[in-house]
Amino acid sequence: MTIFILFLSIILNIITIFAIIILYLRQNRLLTMDHSQKQTMKEMEDIFTAYIEELKDENEQFINKFKSIQNEQNSDEAIEKTSHHHPSIEKRTNEVNEVNSDNYNRMYAAKSYQNSVGMIKDLKKEVQDETGSLIDKVIFLQKKGLTNEEIAKKLNKGKTEIELMVKFQQKSLDKLD
């Protein structure tokens, strides 16, 4: 009887040790998952911070361009006011406007020709591009050697949006490997 109790005690001790080892392994697995989630969250926060900073920079550039256009318009109005007082300035302005209008007409004709040729090429590309999803287009353009900025301009998307797509696509490919 004593041998039976001793044998039972040893078996229970082995089962207990085995259970402790399993719990320890599960705890370590949870800790590594928690660590990887924290790292992913930090990366996402960094990406969003970069995106917000890029938006801020673009807004500041827009405001600066807008102010410069307003200043140009104000200066044009000031020139118009002064030209009414001086007939010689008005005469010179008319001569410059005639020369500029000739150049403008030539430039406009060349530009419209280029636009019509470009529109035909763009329509062909759009028909080809509409067959795939956005991420497929991004990957295709990236394989062609275009930078993220060029891809963003071509697809009418934000540069950071393209960077996010590429980064998440690479992460999903890494997880598959």
Side-chain angles (χ1 to χ4, degrees):
M1 180 80 173
T2 310
I3 295 176
F4 177 73
I5 294 176
L6 185 62
F7 182 71
L8 184 64
S9 174
I10 291 173
I11 289 177
L12 289 176
N13 284 334
I14 291 173
I15 292 173
T16 307
I17 290 172
F18 185 69
I20 290 173
I21 290 172
I22 290 174
L23 289 174
Y24 179 75
L25 292 175
R26 285 187 181 179
Q27 181 185 8
N28 282 344
R29 193 178 328 148
L30 287 175
L31 288 175
T32 56
M33 285 178 54
D34 185 45
H35 179 66
S36 66
Q37 278 185 334
K38 285 181 182 178
Q39 185 178 7
T40 305
M41 291 293 289
K42 187 175 187 314
E43 288 175 2
M44 287 177 34
E45 286 175 3
D46 291 342
I47 290 170
F48 284 127
T49 302
Y51 179 71
I52 289 171
E53 287 178 10
E54 184 178 326
L55 280 176
K56 182 180 174 185
D57 291 341
E58 288 175 358
N59 288 342
E60 288 175 359
Q61 289 174 355
F62 175 74
I63 289 170
N64 290 337
K65 285 182 183 179
F66 185 74
K67 286 181 180 178
S68 67
I69 290 171
Q70 279 184 334
N71 290 338
E72 288 176 10
Q73 288 177 350
N74 290 340
S75 65
D76 289 343
E77 290 174 2
I79 290 173
E80 286 179 16
K81 288 179 183 177
T82 57
S83 68
H84 291 296
H85 297 293
H86 302 286
S88 62
I89 294 175
E90 187 174 323
K91 188 176 182 182
R92 288 182 189 161
T93 306
N94 288 337
E95 291 173 3
V96 170
N97 285 340
E98 288 175 15
V99 171
N100 285 339
S101 67
D102 289 340
N103 288 337
Y104 177 76
N105 289 337
R106 287 183 192 146
M107 286 177 18
Y108 182 75
K111 195 174 196 178
S112 64
Y113 174 73
Q114 289 173 347
N115 285 342
S116 64
V117 171
M119 288 170 76
I120 293 170
K121 289 180 181 177
D122 289 341
L123 285 174
K124 288 179 182 177
K125 286 181 183 177
E126 284 180 21
V127 169
Q128 291 172 351
D129 288 346
E130 287 179 9
T131 58
S133 68
L134 183 61
I135 191 69
D136 293 335
K137 294 175 193 174
V138 170
I139 292 170
F140 176 73
L141 293 174
Q142 193 177 32
K143 286 181 181 177
K144 279 179 124 178
L146 287 132
T147 64
N148 288 343
E149 291 178 12
E150 293 169 339
I151 293 171
K153 287 179 184 176
K154 191 165 192 100
L155 298 177
N156 293 327
K157 300 290 181 188
K159 180 182 131 191
T160 309
E161 185 177 353
I162 299 300
E163 289 173 354
L164 283 170
M165 283 186 205
V166 169
K167 188 167 188 171
F168 286 131
Q169 182 67 21
Q170 288 174 349
K171 284 199 176 225
S172 66
L173 290 176
D174 291 343
K175 287 181 182 178
L176 290 175
D177 292 340

